[in-house]
């Protein structure tokens, strides 16, 4: 499969975002509710799915940006990755209720923050 002129693995192997549409990105996140527990992943709870969708919608409404990468986390959460100004901005919505934001360039962490609400996601991304 190709996306943005790059060869990608099948969505069944790695859940890259296959579309540039907000609706398709939301559908990808919502599909994690059907994951079954195995040696790699725990099921993703509806709360984490909704928080990730809320952050995605808030970022899109403010900055018109879609994530480069969406993934279920091993612990049963959701991760969103954006690329902005040569940096990677990661949001992680964990089943323990915590929401994290990390900005990295190469292997250097430039910023870390905890969110109290998905509505904070756009402001953190704009701070890069």
């Amino acid at each position: 499969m190709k996306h943005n002129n790059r060869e990608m693995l099948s969505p069944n192997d790695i859940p890259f975002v296959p579309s540039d549409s907000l609706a398709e990105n939301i559908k990808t996140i919502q599909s994690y509710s059907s994951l079954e527990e195995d040696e790699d992943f725990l099921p993703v709870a509806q709360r984490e799915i909704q928080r990730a969708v809320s952050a995605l919608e808030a970022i899109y409404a403010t900055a018109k940006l879609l994530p480069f990468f969406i993934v279920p986390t091993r612990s049963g959460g959701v991760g969103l990755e954006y690329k902005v100004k040569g940096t990677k901005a990661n949001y992680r919505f964990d089943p323990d209720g915590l929401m994290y934001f990390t900005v990295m360039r190469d292997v250097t962490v430039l910023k870390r923050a905890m969110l109290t609400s998905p509505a904070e996601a756009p402001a953190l991304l704009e701070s890069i």
Side-chain angles (χ1 to χ4, degrees), residues 87-109:
T87 62
K88 291 181 182 179
N90 298 297
Y91 295 91
R92 194 174 80 230
F93 304 91
D94 283 347
D96 59 8
L98 298 177
M99 296 175 281
Y100 300 96
F101 175 74
T102 306
V103 177
M104 295 184 71
R105 182 169 288 134
D106 299 319
V107 295
T108 305
V109 174

Side-chain angles (χ1 to χ4, degrees), residues 47-117:
R47 178 181 69 173
E48 280 61 61
I49 290 170
Q50 187 52 51
R51 292 188 311 164
V53 167
S54 294
L56 172 75
E57 290 173 330
I59 292 166
Y60 189 78
T62 302
K64 298 295 185 248
L65 290 175
L66 292 171
F68 174 76
F69 190 71
I70 300 173
V71 65
T73 65
R74 296 178 72 100
S75 62
V78 177
L80 304 176
E81 181 179 300
Y82 288 82
K83 289 191 175 182
V84 178
K85 299 178 186 174
T87 62
K88 291 181 182 179
N90 298 297
Y91 295 91
R92 194 174 80 230
F93 304 91
D94 283 347
D96 59 8
L98 298 177
M99 296 175 281
Y100 300 96
F101 175 74
T102 306
V103 177
M104 295 184 71
R105 182 169 288 134
D106 299 319
V107 295
T108 305
V109 174
L110 303 176
K111 181 176 187 171
R112 287 190 182 173
M114 289 184 66
L115 291 80
T116 57
S117 163

